[in-house]
Amino acid sequence: MSLTAEEQTAREALRARQGAGARYDAASAPAEDLLLARRGTAYFARKLAELSDSDLNAPSLRGGVRRRALIAEVGYHARALAQQVGALRAGDAVQPISPAAYRAEIAQGATLPARALRSLVHHASIHLDVEWRDLTDAGWTLSVPLQAGAVMPLRQTPRLRARVVWQAALDLGNGGRLADVPAELRSDLASPAGH
């Protein structure tokens, strides 16, 4: 994403007004994918806020998955990514969570009280965004380990997160529309039933 000289001047002026404590993405961060993930997070939060606490107990559009489990998955996905990014930034060893442990975590999370479930999603999303913002240009060149010895470049995690939150927003089944999803992600997602 390249900025015009006028846009760059405006950005520098804004940063000067915000002060030294403000966080910004590194220059080499995948800006477009971060924007997709952040917009998807906001869209998911809006669709989640439209649901009453009792609505959380209903089935989602994802076959055999209740809304509570879907919401827990969104929260724990953000938390797992944030922990991996944070460990890499700190130079610590990163161990991927096993699929069985991840499923157990989601099942347990689905039993949380509604307020705690909503807070899980909110706080984990903020934590992930902070970890992304704290990555340096060099940090964006690192990779996270996956199962079976595979790795994923950190640069791909915002796009992965974007797919997860946009798909989950559709799968909540309370009016999310494929037409609301940014065009560059639509082909990556499954259309919700009836849309």
Side-chain angles (χ1 to χ4, degrees):
M1 178 173 137
S2 58
L3 301 174
T4 66
E6 184 178 305
E7 291 169 331
Q8 185 62 33
T9 300
R11 177 178 278 184
E12 289 169 7
L14 173 64
R15 288 182 177 184
R17 286 191 309 273
Q18 289 176 327
R23 286 185 163 109
Y24 306 99
D25 294 325
S28 67
E32 291 83 10
D33 289 344
L34 284 165
L35 183 59
L36 288 172
R38 289 169 178 153
R39 285 184 176 166
T41 297
Y43 186 79
F44 180 83
R46 188 178 93 210
K47 299 315 289 177
L48 178 57
E50 292 171 359
L51 296 171
S52 70
D53 289 352
S54 63
D55 289 338
L56 301 184
N57 299 318
S60 74
L61 296 180
R62 197 176 292 174
V65 177
R66 302 201 72 72
R67 283 177 172 159
R68 287 181 150 280
L70 181 68
I71 296 162
E73 181 181 340
V74 169
Y76 287 123
H77 182 263
R79 189 169 85 173
L81 280 178
Q83 289 171 339
Q84 288 184 314
V85 173
L88 282 171
R89 273 191 328 97
D92 297 334
V94 179
Q95 296 299 321
I97 187 169
S98 74
Y102 187 61
R103 286 190 301 273
E105 187 174 52
I106 291 168
Q108 179 65 33
T111 68
L112 291 170
R115 185 174 180 172
L117 192 55
R118 293 174 193 274
S119 291
L120 167 67
V121 171
H122 178 73
H123 291 285
S125 297
I126 290 171
H127 181 196
L128 175 58
D129 203 41
V130 167
E131 291 295 346
W132 279 334
R133 285 211 170 123
D134 285 351
L135 279 171
T136 62
D137 287 328
W140 282 107
T141 66
L142 301 172
S143 294
V144 295
L146 304 173
Q147 297 299 317
V151 295
M152 171 186 278
L154 275 182
R155 301 192 67 70
Q156 293 177 7
T157 60
R159 184 67 167 229
L160 170 68
R161 180 66 181 163
R163 286 192 300 268
V164 166
V165 291
W166 282 103
Q167 185 67 63
L170 299 178
D171 290 345
L172 281 174
N174 66 321
R177 301 173 313 138
L178 195 57
D180 295 338
V181 176
E184 57 269 41
L185 277 181
R186 283 186 203 139
S187 63
D188 294 352
L189 305 182
S191 178
H195 294 270

